[in-house]
Amino acid sequence: MKRNLVDGEWLPAADALENRSPADVSDLVGLYARGSSEDVDRAAAAARAALPDWAATSPQQRADILDRVGAALLARADEIGRLLAREEGKSLAEAKGETLRAAQIFRFFAGEALRVSGDALASVRPDVSVDVSREPVGVVGLITPWNFPIAIPAWKTAPALAYGNTVILKPAEQTPASAHVLAEILADAGIPKGVFNLVMGQGSVVGEAIVGHPSIDAISFTGSVPVGRRLAVEAARGLKKVQLEMGGKNPMVVLNDADLEIAVQACLSGAFFSTGQRCTASSRLIVEAGIHDAFVDRISECADALCIGNPLDPTTQIGPVVSRPQLDSNLRYVDVARDEGAEVVGGEELGGATEGFYQRPALFLNARNDMRSSREEIFGPCASVIKVGDFDEAVAVANDTEFGLSSGICTSNLKFARAFRQSSEAGMVMVNLPTAGVDYHVPFGGRKGSSYGQREQGRYAAEFYTSVKTAYEFAG
Ligand code: UN1
């Protein structure tokens, strides 16, 4: 059994999680410790005890450790990518790309550890100076989802450590292997005991224990809207700082003047790659009437040609859905879309050479924005195609959602591109690019029901992972 890492020790657990590949249920990736609330207690005590020394380390020491983690991820990207593809189901190319992204994130934050800065001002009072500096928030609990099993743990852990916090990471139950490798790499890189703790297990046990723990100061969570909402309430009870990244129903607008091939490829990749299992996925394709039919013909043809199969086969473009319950939920939404009057192309469950959870990507044609299938996040390879009359209607439909993570527009007209950037109620806007697939060195996050609290990634990560102190000094 792969163990939890608590206070520098690899701790066994009474119970184990079976990690099986969604591409082939006979492929047992491994048995992973299923932690308890006592494990969280121990991890929290260790993280609290380790905090003063870690916060006081020189930035060079933190940078060196993070840099070593980045180098190890880079050196082992093939092997880790393969493990990730087995446990999550995304294609080998995507899994390796994700591992490289995790490596780059660690290297970026190695640099950021050296660039923690503040402000020095003159006070409004004579002979007094004011100094604003950043300090760690404290012990942080990180709760991560299954769809990016190494990149999301990396983009929460790296800034947390860079800014001097100590960490308890709880990865998703479906994908503990990638986070476990990350923990091994951190331990090998010389992270002091108690500074980084890994507690794998169930959300209802380990996640709940982290959120309610009195010695955890801040929680960063990526996952579903219902869990995020409950977590925010619970965290508020304990007055914890909280950062939530949740769902999306991201619009991609295609205008009449768009380059058809750019638009189709952006929509195809945004909607269906990573099996549509991204909070940034394009799930509403909002298409102007003049290009609508040509767009539908071409995207249907391209979707049909996608190679769906075992992620370990290098020709596979789209892997399986992550689990049986997720596939069942996707299939229910396909029925909902049909019942609501959309014309469904694809979407059926597929058999394969191995027993897994395969689904053909689905387009819901002639959809309306008020349909359930256009409003609720499906988190699978399903996209609604909504026809609109002009740019203004496209913007209104794009913004008519309770979410606001990412949005996109395909157009060759600079005026429309600029107007869309300004009026889109999303945290991230893409022009002639897919809504999914973001850079690692700039802020990530959304508005409305998609996100809560400060942005992740880039220099903005400091807003969540540090607390500012204002110090006044009288020269005397
Ligand atoms: C991306 O689109 O590159 O859970 C990343 C998610 C997001 C990450 C998306 N937090 O899907």
PDB file of all heavy atoms in Angstrom, residues 152-186:
ATOM      1  N   ILE A 152      -2.708  20.539 -10.651  1.00  0.00           N
ATOM      2  CA  ILE A 152      -3.397  21.340  -9.620  1.00  0.00           C
ATOM      3  C   ILE A 152      -2.707  21.176  -8.255  1.00  0.00           C
ATOM      4  O   ILE A 152      -2.449  22.192  -7.593  1.00  0.00           O
ATOM      5  CB  ILE A 152      -4.913  21.067  -9.610  1.00  0.00           C
ATOM      6  CG1 ILE A 152      -5.505  21.533 -10.970  1.00  0.00           C
ATOM      7  CG2 ILE A 152      -5.601  21.801  -8.453  1.00  0.00           C
ATOM      8  CD1 ILE A 152      -7.005  21.373 -11.130  1.00  0.00           C
ATOM      9  N   PRO A 153      -2.331  19.952  -7.824  1.00  0.00           N
ATOM     10  CA  PRO A 153      -1.506  19.889  -6.607  1.00  0.00           C
ATOM     11  C   PRO A 153      -0.256  20.759  -6.724  1.00  0.00           C
ATOM     12  O   PRO A 153       0.138  21.419  -5.762  1.00  0.00           O
ATOM     13  CB  PRO A 153      -1.151  18.400  -6.510  1.00  0.00           C
ATOM     14  CG  PRO A 153      -2.336  17.711  -7.116  1.00  0.00           C
ATOM     15  CD  PRO A 153      -2.744  18.603  -8.271  1.00  0.00           C
ATOM     16  N   ALA A 154       0.359  20.799  -7.911  1.00  0.00           N
ATOM     17  CA  ALA A 154       1.569  21.617  -8.083  1.00  0.00           C
ATOM     18  C   ALA A 154       1.242  23.095  -7.969  1.00  0.00           C
ATOM     19  O   ALA A 154       1.949  23.844  -7.297  1.00  0.00           O
ATOM     20  CB  ALA A 154       2.208  21.332  -9.447  1.00  0.00           C
ATOM     21  N   TRP A 155       0.129  23.559  -8.588  1.00  0.00           N
ATOM     22  CA  TRP A 155      -0.081  24.995  -8.585  1.00  0.00           C
ATOM     23  C   TRP A 155      -0.648  25.505  -7.268  1.00  0.00           C
ATOM     24  O   TRP A 155      -0.737  26.704  -7.055  1.00  0.00           O
ATOM     25  CB  TRP A 155      -0.776  25.487  -9.824  1.00  0.00           C
ATOM     26  CG  TRP A 155      -2.251  25.508  -9.979  1.00  0.00           C
ATOM     27  CD1 TRP A 155      -3.198  25.908  -9.086  1.00  0.00           C
ATOM     28  CD2 TRP A 155      -2.951  25.181 -11.183  1.00  0.00           C
ATOM     29  NE1 TRP A 155      -4.439  25.836  -9.661  1.00  0.00           N
ATOM     30  CE2 TRP A 155      -4.315  25.396 -10.945  1.00  0.00           C
ATOM     31  CE3 TRP A 155      -2.534  24.734 -12.453  1.00  0.00           C
ATOM     32  CZ2 TRP A 155      -5.287  25.159 -11.919  1.00  0.00           C
ATOM     33  CZ3 TRP A 155      -3.495  24.511 -13.406  1.00  0.00           C
ATOM     34  CH2 TRP A 155      -4.870  24.721 -13.136  1.00  0.00           C
ATOM     35  N   LYS A 156      -0.992  24.598  -6.374  1.00  0.00           N
ATOM     36  CA  LYS A 156      -1.320  25.045  -5.014  1.00  0.00           C
ATOM     37  C   LYS A 156      -0.096  24.863  -4.094  1.00  0.00           C
ATOM     38  O   LYS A 156       0.208  25.731  -3.278  1.00  0.00           O
ATOM     39  CB  LYS A 156      -2.512  24.263  -4.468  1.00  0.00           C
ATOM     40  CG  LYS A 156      -3.831  24.536  -5.236  1.00  0.00           C
ATOM     41  CD  LYS A 156      -4.995  23.825  -4.564  1.00  0.00           C
ATOM     42  CE  LYS A 156      -6.257  23.773  -5.394  1.00  0.00           C
ATOM     43  NZ  LYS A 156      -6.877  25.068  -5.669  1.00  0.00           N
ATOM     44  N   THR A 157       0.588  23.722  -4.213  1.00  0.00           N
ATOM     45  CA  THR A 157       1.707  23.431  -3.306  1.00  0.00           C
ATOM     46  C   THR A 157       2.887  24.379  -3.539  1.00  0.00           C
ATOM     47  O   THR A 157       3.492  24.874  -2.576  1.00  0.00           O
ATOM     48  CB  THR A 157       2.176  21.969  -3.511  1.00  0.00           C
ATOM     49  OG1 THR A 157       1.069  21.100  -3.264  1.00  0.00           O
ATOM     50  CG2 THR A 157       3.312  21.615  -2.575  1.00  0.00           C
ATOM     51  N   ALA A 158       3.245  24.610  -4.811  1.00  0.00           N
ATOM     52  CA  ALA A 158       4.453  25.404  -5.091  1.00  0.00           C
ATOM     53  C   ALA A 158       4.364  26.821  -4.504  1.00  0.00           C
ATOM     54  O   ALA A 158       5.278  27.240  -3.783  1.00  0.00           O
ATOM     55  CB  ALA A 158       4.741  25.427  -6.586  1.00  0.00           C
ATOM     56  N   PRO A 159       3.267  27.578  -4.738  1.00  0.00           N
ATOM     57  CA  PRO A 159       3.228  28.911  -4.122  1.00  0.00           C
ATOM     58  C   PRO A 159       3.118  28.835  -2.599  1.00  0.00           C
ATOM     59  O   PRO A 159       3.715  29.654  -1.900  1.00  0.00           O
ATOM     60  CB  PRO A 159       1.979  29.562  -4.729  1.00  0.00           C
ATOM     61  CG  PRO A 159       1.156  28.455  -5.300  1.00  0.00           C
ATOM     62  CD  PRO A 159       2.121  27.362  -5.650  1.00  0.00           C
ATOM     63  N   ALA A 160       2.368  27.834  -2.104  1.00  0.00           N
ATOM     64  CA  ALA A 160       2.245  27.718  -0.641  1.00  0.00           C
ATOM     65  C   ALA A 160       3.644  27.614  -0.021  1.00  0.00           C
ATOM     66  O   ALA A 160       3.974  28.336   0.925  1.00  0.00           O
ATOM     67  CB  ALA A 160       1.399  26.493  -0.268  1.00  0.00           C
ATOM     68  N   LEU A 161       4.478  26.754  -0.570  1.00  0.00           N
ATOM     69  CA  LEU A 161       5.823  26.554  -0.010  1.00  0.00           C
ATOM     70  C   LEU A 161       6.732  27.750  -0.302  1.00  0.00           C
ATOM     71  O   LEU A 161       7.519  28.162   0.557  1.00  0.00           O
ATOM     72  CB  LEU A 161       6.440  25.269  -0.566  1.00  0.00           C
ATOM     73  CG  LEU A 161       5.707  23.966  -0.204  1.00  0.00           C
ATOM     74  CD1 LEU A 161       6.356  22.782  -0.896  1.00  0.00           C
ATOM     75  CD2 LEU A 161       5.675  23.751   1.314  1.00  0.00           C
ATOM     76  N   ALA A 162       6.618  28.293  -1.504  1.00  0.00           N
ATOM     77  CA  ALA A 162       7.492  29.422  -1.870  1.00  0.00           C
ATOM     78  C   ALA A 162       7.336  30.575  -0.884  1.00  0.00           C
ATOM     79  O   ALA A 162       8.308  31.224  -0.511  1.00  0.00           O
ATOM     80  CB  ALA A 162       7.157  29.910  -3.280  1.00  0.00           C
ATOM     81  N   TYR A 163       6.089  30.824  -0.453  1.00  0.00           N
ATOM     82  CA  TYR A 163       5.832  31.963   0.436  1.00  0.00           C
ATOM     83  C   TYR A 163       5.939  31.591   1.916  1.00  0.00           C
ATOM     84  O   TYR A 163       5.534  32.363   2.775  1.00  0.00           O
ATOM     85  CB  TYR A 163       4.464  32.576   0.119  1.00  0.00           C
ATOM     86  CG  TYR A 163       4.388  33.126  -1.292  1.00  0.00           C
ATOM     87  CD1 TYR A 163       3.461  32.644  -2.208  1.00  0.00           C
ATOM     88  CD2 TYR A 163       5.274  34.117  -1.715  1.00  0.00           C
ATOM     89  CE1 TYR A 163       3.398  33.135  -3.505  1.00  0.00           C
ATOM     90  CE2 TYR A 163       5.219  34.616  -3.015  1.00  0.00           C
ATOM     91  CZ  TYR A 163       4.288  34.120  -3.905  1.00  0.00           C
ATOM     92  OH  TYR A 163       4.238  34.609  -5.189  1.00  0.00           O
ATOM     93  N   GLY A 164       6.445  30.379   2.205  1.00  0.00           N
ATOM     94  CA  GLY A 164       6.768  30.040   3.593  1.00  0.00           C
ATOM     95  C   GLY A 164       5.665  29.396   4.400  1.00  0.00           C
ATOM     96  O   GLY A 164       5.737  29.352   5.630  1.00  0.00           O
ATOM     97  N   ASN A 165       4.638  28.884   3.733  1.00  0.00           N
ATOM     98  CA  ASN A 165       3.568  28.188   4.456  1.00  0.00           C
ATOM     99  C   ASN A 165       3.896  26.702   4.602  1.00  0.00           C
ATOM    100  O   ASN A 165       4.726  26.164   3.864  1.00  0.00           O
ATOM    101  CB  ASN A 165       2.251  28.279   3.659  1.00  0.00           C
ATOM    102  CG  ASN A 165       1.843  29.711   3.400  1.00  0.00           C
ATOM    103  OD1 ASN A 165       1.287  30.365   4.265  1.00  0.00           O
ATOM    104  ND2 ASN A 165       2.156  30.215   2.211  1.00  0.00           N
ATOM    105  N   THR A 166       3.223  26.039   5.506  1.00  0.00           N
ATOM    106  CA  THR A 166       3.316  24.576   5.557  1.00  0.00           C
ATOM    107  C   THR A 166       1.982  24.004   5.068  1.00  0.00           C
ATOM    108  O   THR A 166       0.948  24.676   5.118  1.00  0.00           O
ATOM    109  CB  THR A 166       3.674  24.083   6.971  1.00  0.00           C
ATOM    110  OG1 THR A 166       2.721  24.595   7.901  1.00  0.00           O
ATOM    111  CG2 THR A 166       5.068  24.532   7.378  1.00  0.00           C
ATOM    112  N   VAL A 167       2.039  22.765   4.571  1.00  0.00           N
ATOM    113  CA  VAL A 167       0.967  22.251   3.711  1.00  0.00           C
ATOM    114  C   VAL A 167       0.438  20.887   4.143  1.00  0.00           C
ATOM    115  O   VAL A 167       1.203  20.014   4.565  1.00  0.00           O
ATOM    116  CB  VAL A 167       1.541  22.113   2.268  1.00  0.00           C
ATOM    117  CG1 VAL A 167       0.601  21.335   1.362  1.00  0.00           C
ATOM    118  CG2 VAL A 167       1.848  23.481   1.681  1.00  0.00           C
ATOM    119  N   ILE A 168      -0.878  20.730   4.005  1.00  0.00           N
ATOM    120  CA  ILE A 168      -1.495  19.393   4.042  1.00  0.00           C
ATOM    121  C   ILE A 168      -2.248  19.255   2.719  1.00  0.00           C
ATOM    122  O   ILE A 168      -3.170  20.035   2.443  1.00  0.00           O
ATOM    123  CB  ILE A 168      -2.484  19.257   5.213  1.00  0.00           C
ATOM    124  CG1 ILE A 168      -1.737  19.515   6.523  1.00  0.00           C
ATOM    125  CG2 ILE A 168      -3.137  17.871   5.223  1.00  0.00           C
ATOM    126  CD1 ILE A 168      -2.649  19.781   7.685  1.00  0.00           C
ATOM    127  N   LEU A 169      -1.841  18.305   1.914  1.00  0.00           N
ATOM    128  CA  LEU A 169      -2.481  18.099   0.609  1.00  0.00           C
ATOM    129  C   LEU A 169      -3.371  16.869   0.653  1.00  0.00           C
ATOM    130  O   LEU A 169      -2.922  15.789   1.047  1.00  0.00           O
ATOM    131  CB  LEU A 169      -1.407  17.912  -0.477  1.00  0.00           C
ATOM    132  CG  LEU A 169      -1.914  17.423  -1.849  1.00  0.00           C
ATOM    133  CD1 LEU A 169      -2.801  18.464  -2.529  1.00  0.00           C
ATOM    134  CD2 LEU A 169      -0.734  17.080  -2.773  1.00  0.00           C
ATOM    135  N   LYS A 170      -4.634  17.045   0.233  1.00  0.00           N
ATOM    136  CA  LYS A 170      -5.531  15.903   0.064  1.00  0.00           C
ATOM    137  C   LYS A 170      -5.936  15.812  -1.406  1.00  0.00           C
ATOM    138  O   LYS A 170      -6.728  16.602  -1.891  1.00  0.00           O
ATOM    139  CB  LYS A 170      -6.793  16.036   0.921  1.00  0.00           C
ATOM    140  CG  LYS A 170      -7.649  14.776   0.855  1.00  0.00           C
ATOM    141  CD  LYS A 170      -9.135  15.075   0.949  1.00  0.00           C
ATOM    142  CE  LYS A 170      -9.941  14.794  -0.259  1.00  0.00           C
ATOM    143  NZ  LYS A 170      -9.818  13.583  -1.013  1.00  0.00           N
ATOM    144  N   PRO A 171      -5.353  14.836  -2.116  1.00  0.00           N
ATOM    145  CA  PRO A 171      -5.736  14.690  -3.529  1.00  0.00           C
ATOM    146  C   PRO A 171      -7.066  13.962  -3.660  1.00  0.00           C
ATOM    147  O   PRO A 171      -7.535  13.336  -2.703  1.00  0.00           O
ATOM    148  CB  PRO A 171      -4.600  13.843  -4.096  1.00  0.00           C
ATOM    149  CG  PRO A 171      -4.111  13.023  -2.934  1.00  0.00           C
ATOM    150  CD  PRO A 171      -4.355  13.838  -1.690  1.00  0.00           C
ATOM    151  N   ALA A 172      -7.673  14.036  -4.849  1.00  0.00           N
ATOM    152  CA  ALA A 172      -8.938  13.332  -5.095  1.00  0.00           C
ATOM    153  C   ALA A 172      -8.745  11.827  -4.912  1.00  0.00           C
ATOM    154  O   ALA A 172      -7.691  11.281  -5.221  1.00  0.00           O
ATOM    155  CB  ALA A 172      -9.406  13.619  -6.509  1.00  0.00           C
ATOM    156  N   GLU A 173      -9.801  11.190  -4.431  1.00  0.00           N
ATOM    157  CA  GLU A 173      -9.756   9.727  -4.218  1.00  0.00           C
ATOM    158  C   GLU A 173      -9.477   8.957  -5.503  1.00  0.00           C
ATOM    159  O   GLU A 173      -8.860   7.908  -5.478  1.00  0.00           O
ATOM    160  CB  GLU A 173     -11.124   9.238  -3.749  1.00  0.00           C
ATOM    161  CG  GLU A 173     -11.457   9.539  -2.329  1.00  0.00           C
ATOM    162  CD  GLU A 173     -12.952   9.305  -2.127  1.00  0.00           C
ATOM    163  OE1 GLU A 173     -13.342   8.133  -2.058  1.00  0.00           O
ATOM    164  OE2 GLU A 173     -13.703  10.292  -2.070  1.00  0.00           O
ATOM    165  N   GLN A 174      -9.982   9.486  -6.631  1.00  0.00           N
ATOM    166  CA  GLN A 174      -9.838   8.754  -7.902  1.00  0.00           C
ATOM    167  C   GLN A 174      -8.407   8.777  -8.420  1.00  0.00           C
ATOM    168  O   GLN A 174      -8.040   7.936  -9.237  1.00  0.00           O
ATOM    169  CB  GLN A 174     -10.743   9.371  -8.987  1.00  0.00           C
ATOM    170  CG  GLN A 174     -12.229   9.247  -8.740  1.00  0.00           C
ATOM    171  CD  GLN A 174     -12.768  10.429  -7.940  1.00  0.00           C
ATOM    172  OE1 GLN A 174     -12.043  11.103  -7.221  1.00  0.00           O
ATOM    173  NE2 GLN A 174     -14.052  10.667  -8.054  1.00  0.00           N
ATOM    174  N   THR A 175      -7.604   9.769  -7.990  1.00  0.00           N
ATOM    175  CA  THR A 175      -6.271   9.942  -8.588  1.00  0.00           C
ATOM    176  C   THR A 175      -5.186  10.249  -7.541  1.00  0.00           C
ATOM    177  O   THR A 175      -4.551  11.305  -7.587  1.00  0.00           O
ATOM    178  CB  THR A 175      -6.295  11.106  -9.610  1.00  0.00           C
ATOM    179  OG1 THR A 175      -6.792  12.279  -8.926  1.00  0.00           O
ATOM    180  CG2 THR A 175      -7.165  10.807 -10.812  1.00  0.00           C
ATOM    181  N   PRO A 176      -4.942   9.309  -6.618  1.00  0.00           N
ATOM    182  CA  PRO A 176      -3.916   9.592  -5.609  1.00  0.00           C
ATOM    183  C   PRO A 176      -2.483   9.380  -6.109  1.00  0.00           C
ATOM    184  O   PRO A 176      -1.535   9.909  -5.525  1.00  0.00           O
ATOM    185  CB  PRO A 176      -4.239   8.591  -4.494  1.00  0.00           C
ATOM    186  CG  PRO A 176      -4.892   7.436  -5.208  1.00  0.00           C
ATOM    187  CD  PRO A 176      -5.624   8.026  -6.384  1.00  0.00           C
ATOM    188  N   ALA A 177      -2.299   8.617  -7.206  1.00  0.00           N
ATOM    189  CA  ALA A 177      -0.940   8.185  -7.580  1.00  0.00           C
ATOM    190  C   ALA A 177      -0.042   9.365  -7.959  1.00  0.00           C
ATOM    191  O   ALA A 177       1.124   9.424  -7.540  1.00  0.00           O
ATOM    192  CB  ALA A 177      -1.007   7.180  -8.733  1.00  0.00           C
ATOM    193  N   SER A 178      -0.579  10.297  -8.741  1.00  0.00           N
ATOM    194  CA  SER A 178       0.252  11.421  -9.189  1.00  0.00           C
ATOM    195  C   SER A 178       0.668  12.283  -8.002  1.00  0.00           C
ATOM    196  O   SER A 178       1.821  12.720  -7.907  1.00  0.00           O
ATOM    197  CB  SER A 178      -0.519  12.279 -10.203  1.00  0.00           C
ATOM    198  OG  SER A 178      -1.059  11.474 -11.226  1.00  0.00           O
ATOM    199  N   ALA A 179      -0.274  12.514  -7.076  1.00  0.00           N
ATOM    200  CA  ALA A 179       0.052  13.324  -5.892  1.00  0.00           C
ATOM    201  C   ALA A 179       1.057  12.588  -5.010  1.00  0.00           C
ATOM    202  O   ALA A 179       1.925  13.204  -4.384  1.00  0.00           O
ATOM    203  CB  ALA A 179      -1.223  13.631  -5.102  1.00  0.00           C
ATOM    204  N   HIS A 180       0.946  11.262  -4.972  1.00  0.00           N
ATOM    205  CA  HIS A 180       1.887  10.481  -4.170  1.00  0.00           C
ATOM    206  C   HIS A 180       3.302  10.604  -4.725  1.00  0.00           C
ATOM    207  O   HIS A 180       4.274  10.749  -3.971  1.00  0.00           O
ATOM    208  CB  HIS A 180       1.430   9.010  -4.117  1.00  0.00           C
ATOM    209  CG  HIS A 180       2.173   8.217  -3.104  1.00  0.00           C
ATOM    210  ND1 HIS A 180       3.355   7.576  -3.398  1.00  0.00           N
ATOM    211  CD2 HIS A 180       1.931   7.993  -1.795  1.00  0.00           C
ATOM    212  CE1 HIS A 180       3.803   6.982  -2.304  1.00  0.00           C
ATOM    213  NE2 HIS A 180       2.951   7.222  -1.318  1.00  0.00           N
ATOM    214  N   VAL A 181       3.426  10.563  -6.047  1.00  0.00           N
ATOM    215  CA  VAL A 181       4.748  10.742  -6.662  1.00  0.00           C
ATOM    216  C   VAL A 181       5.288  12.141  -6.341  1.00  0.00           C
ATOM    217  O   VAL A 181       6.469  12.307  -6.022  1.00  0.00           O
ATOM    218  CB  VAL A 181       4.677  10.537  -8.197  1.00  0.00           C
ATOM    219  CG1 VAL A 181       5.971  10.963  -8.865  1.00  0.00           C
ATOM    220  CG2 VAL A 181       4.371   9.090  -8.529  1.00  0.00           C
ATOM    221  N   LEU A 182       4.407  13.123  -6.390  1.00  0.00           N
ATOM    222  CA  LEU A 182       4.836  14.488  -6.058  1.00  0.00           C
ATOM    223  C   LEU A 182       5.360  14.545  -4.612  1.00  0.00           C
ATOM    224  O   LEU A 182       6.382  15.178  -4.330  1.00  0.00           O
ATOM    225  CB  LEU A 182       3.664  15.459  -6.250  1.00  0.00           C
ATOM    226  CG  LEU A 182       3.949  16.926  -5.961  1.00  0.00           C
ATOM    227  CD1 LEU A 182       5.031  17.487  -6.895  1.00  0.00           C
ATOM    228  CD2 LEU A 182       2.674  17.763  -6.099  1.00  0.00           C
ATOM    229  N   ALA A 183       4.664  13.848  -3.708  1.00  0.00           N
ATOM    230  CA  ALA A 183       5.109  13.820  -2.297  1.00  0.00           C
ATOM    231  C   ALA A 183       6.485  13.154  -2.188  1.00  0.00           C
ATOM    232  O   ALA A 183       7.365  13.641  -1.457  1.00  0.00           O
ATOM    233  CB  ALA A 183       4.076  13.089  -1.439  1.00  0.00           C
ATOM    234  N   GLU A 184       6.690  12.064  -2.927  1.00  0.00           N
ATOM    235  CA  GLU A 184       8.007  11.391  -2.905  1.00  0.00           C
ATOM    236  C   GLU A 184       9.089  12.343  -3.402  1.00  0.00           C
ATOM    237  O   GLU A 184      10.184  12.417  -2.840  1.00  0.00           O
ATOM    238  CB  GLU A 184       7.983  10.155  -3.813  1.00  0.00           C
ATOM    239  CG  GLU A 184       7.247   8.980  -3.219  1.00  0.00           C
ATOM    240  CD  GLU A 184       7.119   7.810  -4.219  1.00  0.00           C
ATOM    241  OE1 GLU A 184       7.330   8.009  -5.439  1.00  0.00           O
ATOM    242  OE2 GLU A 184       6.804   6.712  -3.779  1.00  0.00           O
ATOM    243  N   ILE A 185       8.757  13.063  -4.472  1.00  0.00           N
ATOM    244  CA  ILE A 185       9.750  13.986  -5.053  1.00  0.00           C
ATOM    245  C   ILE A 185      10.070  15.117  -4.066  1.00  0.00           C
ATOM    246  O   ILE A 185      11.228  15.489  -3.883  1.00  0.00           O
ATOM    247  CB  ILE A 185       9.227  14.533  -6.406  1.00  0.00           C
ATOM    248  CG1 ILE A 185       9.278  13.409  -7.448  1.00  0.00           C
ATOM    249  CG2 ILE A 185      10.032  15.751  -6.856  1.00  0.00           C
ATOM    250  CD1 ILE A 185       8.711  13.779  -8.806  1.00  0.00           C
ATOM    251  N   LEU A 186       9.042  15.625  -3.382  1.00  0.00           N
ATOM    252  CA  LEU A 186       9.280  16.680  -2.386  1.00  0.00           C
ATOM    253  C   LEU A 186      10.154  16.163  -1.255  1.00  0.00           C
ATOM    254  O   LEU A 186      11.072  16.845  -0.793  1.00  0.00           O
ATOM    255  CB  LEU A 186       7.945  17.196  -1.839  1.00  0.00           C
ATOM    256  CG  LEU A 186       7.272  18.252  -2.714  1.00  0.00           C
ATOM    257  CD1 LEU A 186       5.757  18.244  -2.538  1.00  0.00           C
ATOM    258  CD2 LEU A 186       7.812  19.646  -2.381  1.00  0.00           C
TER     259      LEU A 186
END
